[in-house]
Amino acid sequence: MTDQVAALVAERPRGLFGDAWHALRRRPLFWVSVSLILLVLLMAAFPGLFSSGDPNAADLSRSRGAPSSAAWFGYDNQGYDIYTRVVHGARASIVVGLLATAGVVLVGATIGMLAGFYGGWLDAVVSRIADVFVGVPFVLGAIVILTTLNAGGDAGPVRIVAQVVLSISVLSWPVAMRIMRSTAIAAKQQDYVKAARALGASSGRIIGKHMLPNCVAPVLVYSTIALGAFIGAEATLSYLGIGLRQPVVSWGVMINSAKDYLRVAPHALLFPAGFLTATVLAFVMLGDAVREALDPKLR
Amino acid sequence: MEGASVAELLEVRDLVKHFPVTRGVAFRRTVGHVRAVDGVSFSLRAGETLGVVGESGCGKSTLAQVLMRLEPPTSGTALFEGEPMFSLRGAALRRWRRDMQIVLQDPYTSLNPRMTVGDIVGEPFEIHPEVAPRGSRAGRVRELLDVVGLNPEHLNRYPHQFSGGQRQRIGIARALALRPKVIVCDEPVSALDVSIQAQVMNLLAELQGEFGLAYIFIAHDLSVVRHLSDRVAVMYLGKIVEIGTEEEIYRHPTHPYTQALLSAVPVADPALRGRRDVIRLTGDVPSPVDPPSGCRFRTRCWKARDVCATDEPALVTRVGNHPSACHFAEERHVVP
């Protein structure tokens, strides 16, 4: 009752995203995932805030040292400080996740919107191409792409990251494309699109003003979940030895180098894997919360 | 003849819209056609209201879509102020759109939920910037909201903050913005409560007088169109079966389908209720993919004879003074 009165009193214009924010604010799960994500983002942007050590300082005399007050997470086989490397590894993982998500969403959503809006042969061709990419198993496709790109041998950190981002984007854009295509097909048949066409609106205007604002929600939700998944994919590829590798530090690289010493130094695997899991989980939880908030039927 | 064609604002001849029914995924083939609109002719004068009435699925809304050029016609012609409107392209088409606008049926889906009311009603001016200079647009939008009976201060609200009747008023304001000559009203009140229906109908009647609009008013119920229409066309399975003035259709109906529709209109006066003659139609509307031979209404008609299955009745004047597509057209008083 008091809520209703308050709603009537504070009657100011609020869009659907405003409503979504209103719903999100009350969800503890949303705040937990947001704080975790902020923490990781802070680590990625300013690793110096968390650790003053050098992630590339190895000392074999400390090899496989157990966690202690000097080194909270212990040392790995090479004698690297695991805490420092976990902090510095956040950057590569986050950068790969963000860039891959941006690539997948931009490419997939653009193609999906055009295919859904124009339909016809464009839609048929694009959909079949997407089917081909979906048909390729992710790991197999990534192995093929990355080994082909790496045939030349040594590469700098920027190139290594670019290659991983590219392979993830190439193999994952059909998912975003399909989501956007189906929402675009549904939105195209809405009466407000008919009304705009009757007014003489151009296709560009209909896509930009009427379709996009009503179609972004599902892709937005997908992108939060995908961000987590792509961080996991980076770790998978790095673990297999074809993704990121030295001199780049990432959680996947750390898991890769720790795997051979699992029984003698389990902490070397435990800490990067724990950070990876928590980060992926945070993004997936955020995506879930955003989806529920944006879907009026669940409210 | 020359004078008559000038008086007609819109003249539609033999309009046909068939939707192909396809089968197969990779190799589509057409297995039939939905004959949504199958040879419709009528004319509309400036400032006049033509009511179009028929059951669900008789092609009324398709007719509206084709007339608005949202769907291309399969065949047929339409002259707007003497110009063939189906061949308009580019700038001429944009110019023509200013003269013909539409009010859609469902006020809940016809307004973009992510746009404010001001943006929705102002969009016509953005698409046709020549109509209103940039500086005057906000004033024009306020004026339009005022004209349709909404508070101009609610400019920044979103559609979901309005009731169904208010939303339909927003849709009317948007259609009115470009000062069209014709507004196609595609069942504008059928999604509204009865009390709100009357308000919206009265608003449409007022606006007609104020702006000299012509309406093509589509409804599935004869009683809704009666007090607004000058002339009424009754549609059945993609064809007009009877067309005439309000008086001719309501007082002197000659087609059995019109008579059946009229007998279904509820009568408010209980003393008259027993005196009216109720016609109950049996069976369903046949599929528009495979309409009956000859007269399309024969499968549900109590007058049907052999000739109805072989010869299609033309829409011509047989009795009285308005056309009716029935071999056995005769007047029958249905409503007391």
Side-chain angles (χ1 to χ4, degrees):
Chain A
M1 187 62 206
T2 45
D3 278 354
Q4 286 170 356
V5 173
L8 282 175
V9 171
E11 202 194 338
R12 57 197 167 75
R14 208 165 63 193
L16 294 190
F17 281 106
D19 280 344
W21 168 238
H22 208 69
L24 275 179
R25 275 198 319 207
R26 301 176 202 175
R27 293 179 59 94
L29 207 64
F30 169 73
W31 288 114
V32 170
S33 55
V34 162
S35 2
L36 266 173
I37 289 168
L38 281 180
L39 187 73
V40 174
L41 286 179
L42 211 60
M43 253 184 219
F46 310 106
L49 283 180
F50 296 87
S51 155
S52 51
D54 176 2
N56 290 316
D59 182 351
L60 276 176
S61 66
R62 305 182 302 208
S63 179
R64 283 177 254 159
S68 63
S69 61
W72 293 353
F73 294 174
Y75 295 96
D76 73 355
N77 191 49
Q78 303 288 331
Y80 287 126
D81 177 19
I82 293 176
Y83 174 74
T84 309
R85 276 175 77 83
V86 160
V87 168
H88 283 83
R91 181 176 287 173
S93 297
I94 292 290
V95 163
V96 167
L98 283 176
L99 288 181
T101 306
V104 163
V105 166
L106 283 181
V107 172
T110 308
I111 296 177
M113 174 58 87
L114 294 177
F117 183 74
Y118 288 105
W121 63 266
L122 178 75
D123 182 30
V125 169
V126 167
S127 297
R128 291 299 87 74
I129 294 175
D131 287 348
V132 171
F133 279 95
V134 168
V136 179
F138 178 80
V139 173
L140 177 64
I143 290 174
V144 171
I145 294 174
L146 287 169
T147 47
T148 313
L149 290 176
N150 275 326
D154 276 344
V158 174
R159 218 176 130 199
I160 293 175
V161 168
Q163 284 171 352
V164 173
V165 168
L166 183 78
S167 63
I168 293 176
S169 306
V170 163
L171 292 167
S172 300
W173 68 269
V175 185
M177 176 262 169
R178 284 177 170 181
I179 293 171
M180 192 49 133
R181 175 180 170 269
S182 60
T183 42
I185 288 174
K188 190 172 74 164
Q189 283 147 4
Q190 291 289 320
D191 278 352
Y192 53 79
V193 174
K194 274 187 203 161
R197 285 174 56 207
L199 284 170
S202 60
S203 297
R205 183 182 184 87
I206 290 175
I207 290 176
K209 281 251 173 182
H210 296 281
M211 309 264 295
L212 260 185
N214 288 289
C215 295
V216 287
V219 176
L220 212 69
V221 170
Y222 165 73
S223 67
T224 39
I225 295 172
L227 187 53
F230 292 160
I231 292 174
E234 178 272 309
T236 309
L237 297 177
S238 305
Y239 176 83
L240 292 173
I242 53 168
L244 303 183
R245 56 197 177 275
Q246 292 288 3
V248 182
V249 183
S250 86
W251 297 332
V253 171
M254 293 176 72
I255 294 170
N256 178 35
S257 61
K259 68 177 191 286
D260 300 333
Y261 311 97
L262 182 59
R263 304 186 67 172
V264 280
H267 58 271
L269 184 93
L270 191 70
F271 290 107
F275 271 72
L276 177 72
T277 311
T279 309
V280 172
L281 192 68
F283 277 109
V284 172
M285 284 195 313
L286 178 72
D288 255 1
V290 170
R291 193 193 64 224
E292 275 177 36
L294 281 176
D295 189 347
K297 275 171 249 147
L298 288 171
R299 218 180 286 154
Chain B
M1 199 59 216
E2 198 63 41
S5 66
V6 171
E8 308 291 3
L9 188 58
L10 178 66
E11 177 127 27
V12 177
R13 286 278 156 265
D14 301 320
L15 189 64
V16 175
K17 177 67 190 178
H18 289 180
F19 293 101
V21 181
T22 55
R23 202 167 282 165
V25 182
F27 301 98
R28 292 247 168 99
R29 59 203 163 85
T30 305
V31 292
H33 285 96
V34 176
R35 296 151 185 259
V37 177
D38 211 5
V40 164
S41 303
F42 64 86
S43 60
L44 182 74
R45 289 177 210 103
E48 168 187 69
T49 301
L50 174 71
V52 178
V53 180
E55 311 172 68
S56 314
C58 76
K60 309 171 303 243
S61 287
T62 307
L63 177 66
Q65 313 260 317
V66 175
L67 286 177
M68 290 309 299
R69 297 230 16 210
L70 297 173
E71 292 280 352
T74 306
S75 70
T77 54
L79 300 179
F80 187 86
E81 295 184 318
E83 294 286 319
M85 63 179 226
F86 291 138
S87 54
L88 294 172
R89 292 281 176 275
L93 176 63
R94 282 170 57 85
R95 177 66 192 77
W96 169 80
R97 292 216 181 268
R98 280 166 49 184
D99 287 334
M100 199 144 156
Q101 277 302 310
I102 188 165
V103 174
L104 290 152
Q105 174 178 6
D106 186 350
Y108 291 90
T109 60
S110 63
L111 306 177
N112 185 341
R114 308 275 158 129
M115 279 165 83
T116 64
V117 172
D119 287 340
I120 290 171
V121 178
E123 191 176 25
F125 300 130
E126 284 189 25
I127 297 170
H128 300 272
E130 70 280 6
V131 176
R134 189 165 283 277
S136 70
R137 281 181 205 162
R140 291 285 287 273
V141 170
R142 282 166 181 274
E143 216 175 276
L144 281 164
L145 290 179
D146 191 46
V147 163
V148 297
L150 290 171
N151 185 347
E153 302 307 314
H154 292 171
L155 210 70
N156 290 322
R157 293 199 184 178
Y158 285 87
H160 67 110
Q161 293 168 300
F162 290 90
S163 68
Q166 288 173 319
R167 284 160 155 258
Q168 200 55 296
R169 286 169 192 266
I170 298 167
I172 293 170
R174 173 175 60 190
L176 214 55
L178 300 171
R179 294 285 158 89
K181 292 174 178 149
V182 181
I183 295 185
V184 176
C185 304
D186 186 4
E187 304 203 35
V189 297
S190 58
L192 305 175
D193 290 345
V194 177
S195 57
I196 311 296
Q197 283 187 359
Q199 291 176 11
V200 172
M201 294 295 287
N202 288 337
L203 171 68
L204 288 169
E206 278 168 35
L207 295 173
Q208 183 164 40
E210 206 175 323
F211 298 100
L213 296 164
Y215 289 139
I216 294 176
F217 197 97
I218 294 170
H220 56 242
D221 174 353
L222 273 167
S223 61
V224 169
V225 294
R226 182 164 192 180
H227 84 279
L228 201 66
S229 298
D230 302 303
R231 288 190 303 135
V232 177
V234 180
M235 273 185 85
Y236 186 77
L237 268 182
K239 283 186 178 292
I240 293 182
V241 294
E242 186 168 5
I243 183 165
T245 62
E246 182 259 310
E247 169 82 9
E248 285 162 354
I249 296 292
Y250 288 86
R251 290 282 164 208
H252 312 286
T254 62
H255 195 283
Y257 181 60
T258 314
Q259 290 161 356
L261 280 184
L262 277 173
S263 83
V265 172
V267 176
D269 185 347
L272 291 175
R273 218 168 270 166
R275 284 171 44 200
R276 82 180 155 146
D277 132 32
V278 177
I279 304 165
R280 280 204 184 80
L281 289 181
T282 51
D284 288 325
V285 184
S287 159
V289 178
D290 183 23
S293 63
C295 173
R296 297 188 170 193
F297 186 57
R298 71 178 163 83
T299 52
R300 300 167 77 192
C301 184
W302 61 95
K303 287 180 176 176
R305 313 242 182 95
D306 291 345
V307 62
C308 300
T310 53
D311 294 0
E312 187 170 340
L315 182 64
V316 292
T317 307
R318 289 190 178 78
V319 288
N321 36 25
H322 69 278
S324 168
C326 177
H327 292 301
F328 308 104
E330 58 181 335
E331 228 179 84
R332 175 167 173 181
H333 285 278
V334 191
V335 185

Short mmCIF file of all heavy atoms in Angstrom, two decimals, chain A residues 180-202:
data_model
loop_
_atom_site.label_atom_id
_atom_site.label_comp_id
_atom_site.label_asym_id
_atom_site.label_seq_id
_atom_site.Cartn_x
_atom_site.Cartn_y
_atom_site.Cartn_z
N MET A 180 19.51 -11.90 -31.97
CA MET A 180 19.06 -10.63 -32.53
C MET A 180 18.08 -10.86 -33.67
O MET A 180 17.08 -10.15 -33.78
CB MET A 180 20.28 -9.86 -33.03
CG MET A 180 19.98 -8.44 -33.38
SD MET A 180 19.07 -7.59 -32.07
CE MET A 180 19.98 -6.10 -31.93
N ARG A 181 18.34 -11.87 -34.49
CA ARG A 181 17.47 -12.12 -35.64
C ARG A 181 16.05 -12.44 -35.17
O ARG A 181 15.08 -11.90 -35.70
CB ARG A 181 18.03 -13.27 -36.46
CG ARG A 181 17.15 -13.69 -37.61
CD ARG A 181 17.77 -14.84 -38.39
NE ARG A 181 16.81 -15.38 -39.32
CZ ARG A 181 15.98 -16.37 -39.04
NH1 ARG A 181 16.03 -16.95 -37.86
NH2 ARG A 181 15.12 -16.79 -39.94
N SER A 182 15.93 -13.31 -34.17
CA SER A 182 14.58 -13.70 -33.77
C SER A 182 13.86 -12.53 -33.09
O SER A 182 12.66 -12.33 -33.32
CB SER A 182 14.61 -14.93 -32.86
OG SER A 182 15.35 -14.66 -31.72
N THR A 183 14.57 -11.72 -32.28
CA THR A 183 13.88 -10.58 -31.69
C THR A 183 13.52 -9.56 -32.77
O THR A 183 12.47 -8.92 -32.70
CB THR A 183 14.70 -9.88 -30.59
OG1 THR A 183 16.05 -9.79 -31.02
CG2 THR A 183 14.64 -10.61 -29.29
N ALA A 184 14.38 -9.41 -33.77
CA ALA A 184 14.09 -8.44 -34.84
C ALA A 184 12.87 -8.88 -35.64
O ALA A 184 12.03 -8.06 -36.01
CB ALA A 184 15.30 -8.28 -35.76
N ILE A 185 12.76 -10.19 -35.90
CA ILE A 185 11.60 -10.67 -36.65
C ILE A 185 10.32 -10.39 -35.86
O ILE A 185 9.32 -9.95 -36.41
CB ILE A 185 11.75 -12.18 -36.96
CG1 ILE A 185 12.82 -12.36 -38.03
CG2 ILE A 185 10.43 -12.78 -37.42
CD1 ILE A 185 13.16 -13.80 -38.33
N ALA A 186 10.39 -10.62 -34.54
CA ALA A 186 9.21 -10.35 -33.71
C ALA A 186 8.89 -8.85 -33.69
O ALA A 186 7.73 -8.45 -33.82
CB ALA A 186 9.43 -10.87 -32.29
N ALA A 187 9.93 -8.02 -33.57
CA ALA A 187 9.69 -6.57 -33.47
C ALA A 187 9.18 -5.99 -34.78
O ALA A 187 8.39 -5.06 -34.80
CB ALA A 187 10.97 -5.86 -33.04
N LYS A 188 9.63 -6.59 -35.89
CA LYS A 188 9.25 -6.07 -37.20
C LYS A 188 7.74 -6.13 -37.40
O LYS A 188 7.17 -5.32 -38.11
CB LYS A 188 9.95 -6.92 -38.27
CG LYS A 188 9.83 -6.36 -39.67
CD LYS A 188 10.69 -7.12 -40.64
CE LYS A 188 10.08 -8.48 -40.96
NZ LYS A 188 10.70 -9.07 -42.17
N GLN A 189 7.10 -7.13 -36.77
CA GLN A 189 5.66 -7.29 -36.97
C GLN A 189 4.83 -6.47 -35.99
O GLN A 189 3.60 -6.52 -36.02
CB GLN A 189 5.29 -8.77 -36.83
CG GLN A 189 5.67 -9.54 -38.09
CD GLN A 189 6.09 -10.96 -37.81
OE1 GLN A 189 6.05 -11.42 -36.67
NE2 GLN A 189 6.52 -11.66 -38.83
N GLN A 190 5.51 -5.74 -35.11
CA GLN A 190 4.76 -4.92 -34.15
C GLN A 190 4.03 -3.78 -34.87
O GLN A 190 4.50 -3.26 -35.87
CB GLN A 190 5.72 -4.33 -33.11
CG GLN A 190 6.31 -5.37 -32.19
CD GLN A 190 5.30 -5.92 -31.22
OE1 GLN A 190 4.48 -5.20 -30.68
NE2 GLN A 190 5.35 -7.22 -30.98
N ASP A 191 2.90 -3.38 -34.29
CA ASP A 191 2.11 -2.32 -34.92
C ASP A 191 2.86 -1.00 -34.98
O ASP A 191 2.64 -0.22 -35.90
CB ASP A 191 0.80 -2.14 -34.15
CG ASP A 191 -0.24 -3.16 -34.57
OD1 ASP A 191 0.04 -3.89 -35.54
OD2 ASP A 191 -1.30 -3.24 -33.94
N TYR A 192 3.74 -0.72 -34.00
CA TYR A 192 4.40 0.59 -34.05
C TYR A 192 5.36 0.67 -35.22
O TYR A 192 5.63 1.76 -35.73
CB TYR A 192 5.08 0.96 -32.73
CG TYR A 192 6.05 -0.05 -32.17
CD1 TYR A 192 7.33 -0.16 -32.67
CD2 TYR A 192 5.67 -0.88 -31.12
CE1 TYR A 192 8.22 -1.08 -32.14
CE2 TYR A 192 6.55 -1.80 -30.59
CZ TYR A 192 7.82 -1.89 -31.11
OH TYR A 192 8.69 -2.81 -30.59
N VAL A 193 5.87 -0.47 -35.68
CA VAL A 193 6.70 -0.46 -36.88
C VAL A 193 5.82 -0.19 -38.11
O VAL A 193 6.19 0.57 -39.00
CB VAL A 193 7.48 -1.78 -37.01
CG1 VAL A 193 8.23 -1.84 -38.33
CG2 VAL A 193 8.45 -1.93 -35.86
N LYS A 194 4.63 -0.81 -38.12
CA LYS A 194 3.69 -0.54 -39.22
C LYS A 194 3.34 0.93 -39.26
O LYS A 194 3.31 1.55 -40.33
CB LYS A 194 2.39 -1.34 -38.99
CG LYS A 194 2.42 -2.73 -39.52
CD LYS A 194 1.02 -3.33 -39.39
CE LYS A 194 1.10 -4.83 -39.37
NZ LYS A 194 -0.12 -5.43 -38.80
N ALA A 195 3.06 1.50 -38.09
CA ALA A 195 2.68 2.92 -38.04
C ALA A 195 3.82 3.78 -38.58
O ALA A 195 3.59 4.74 -39.32
CB ALA A 195 2.33 3.32 -36.61
N ALA A 196 5.07 3.44 -38.22
CA ALA A 196 6.21 4.23 -38.69
C ALA A 196 6.35 4.11 -40.20
O ALA A 196 6.64 5.09 -40.89
CB ALA A 196 7.49 3.76 -38.00
N ARG A 197 6.12 2.89 -40.73
CA ARG A 197 6.20 2.72 -42.18
C ARG A 197 5.10 3.51 -42.87
O ARG A 197 5.30 4.10 -43.93
CB ARG A 197 6.12 1.24 -42.54
CG ARG A 197 7.42 0.50 -42.25
CD ARG A 197 7.28 -0.98 -42.48
NE ARG A 197 6.82 -1.29 -43.82
CZ ARG A 197 6.14 -2.37 -44.16
NH1 ARG A 197 5.84 -3.25 -43.24
NH2 ARG A 197 5.79 -2.59 -45.39
N ALA A 198 3.91 3.53 -42.26
CA ALA A 198 2.81 4.29 -42.85
C ALA A 198 3.13 5.78 -42.86
O ALA A 198 2.65 6.52 -43.70
CB ALA A 198 1.51 4.02 -42.10
N LEU A 199 3.95 6.22 -41.88
CA LEU A 199 4.35 7.63 -41.85
C LEU A 199 5.42 7.92 -42.90
O LEU A 199 5.74 9.08 -43.14
CB LEU A 199 4.91 8.00 -40.47
CG LEU A 199 3.89 8.20 -39.35
CD1 LEU A 199 4.60 8.32 -38.03
CD2 LEU A 199 3.05 9.44 -39.61
N GLY A 200 6.00 6.88 -43.48
CA GLY A 200 7.02 7.08 -44.49
C GLY A 200 8.43 7.02 -43.94
O GLY A 200 9.35 7.52 -44.57
N ALA A 201 8.62 6.43 -42.74
CA ALA A 201 9.96 6.36 -42.15
C ALA A 201 10.87 5.47 -43.00
O ALA A 201 10.43 4.46 -43.54
CB ALA A 201 9.87 5.80 -40.74
N SER A 202 12.14 5.86 -43.11
CA SER A 202 13.09 5.07 -43.89
C SER A 202 13.48 3.82 -43.09
O SER A 202 13.28 3.75 -41.88
CB SER A 202 14.34 5.90 -44.14
OG SER A 202 14.91 6.27 -42.91
#
